[in-house]
Amino acid sequence: MAQSEKTITFLDGTVASLPVLRCLWSIEARGGTFVIRDGDGFRVEPPSCITPAEQTFLKAHRTEAGQLVRYAADDAHLRTEK
């Protein structure tokens, strides 16, 4: 990852590039969901929610995108106990 590329660091130390996050967010904003496959792969459902340019971009950033799709934030601090 280039030094000039913007990154986001999550509370657990996971670092992600902003362009990859934005791509995943754009797909979600259009109604796409990520289906995790065995290994480190994933697919977008429905396929119409991902553009050819996004497919190419995510293939180039396959490892990071897969890690982000699998990322599960600890959001326990957001819940109130009853």
Side-chain angles (χ1 to χ4, degrees):
M1 187 175 322
Q3 288 292 339
S4 62
E5 190 172 306
K6 294 190 181 211
T7 60
I8 302 292
T9 303
F10 294 95
L11 292 176
D12 71 349
T14 299
V15 178
S17 67
L18 194 52
V20 174
L21 279 170
R22 284 185 176 147
C23 182
L24 296 173
W25 289 336
S26 292
I27 293 165
E28 284 185 322
R30 289 191 298 274
T33 58
F34 303 101
V35 179
I36 297 172
R37 293 181 170 173
D38 290 338
D40 64 351
F42 66 91
R43 71 177 189 274
V44 175
E45 291 293 334
S48 61
C49 287
I50 186 169
T51 68
E54 289 168 335
Q55 283 181 322
T56 300
F57 178 79
L58 291 178
K59 282 181 184 178
H61 300 277
R62 181 185 321 260
T63 301
E64 182 180 2
Q67 289 171 342
L68 290 172
V69 167
R70 285 172 177 70
Y71 178 79
D74 177 6
D75 61 358
H77 65 285
L78 299 175
R79 296 184 203 111
T80 57
E81 292 192 28
K82 295 179 182 182

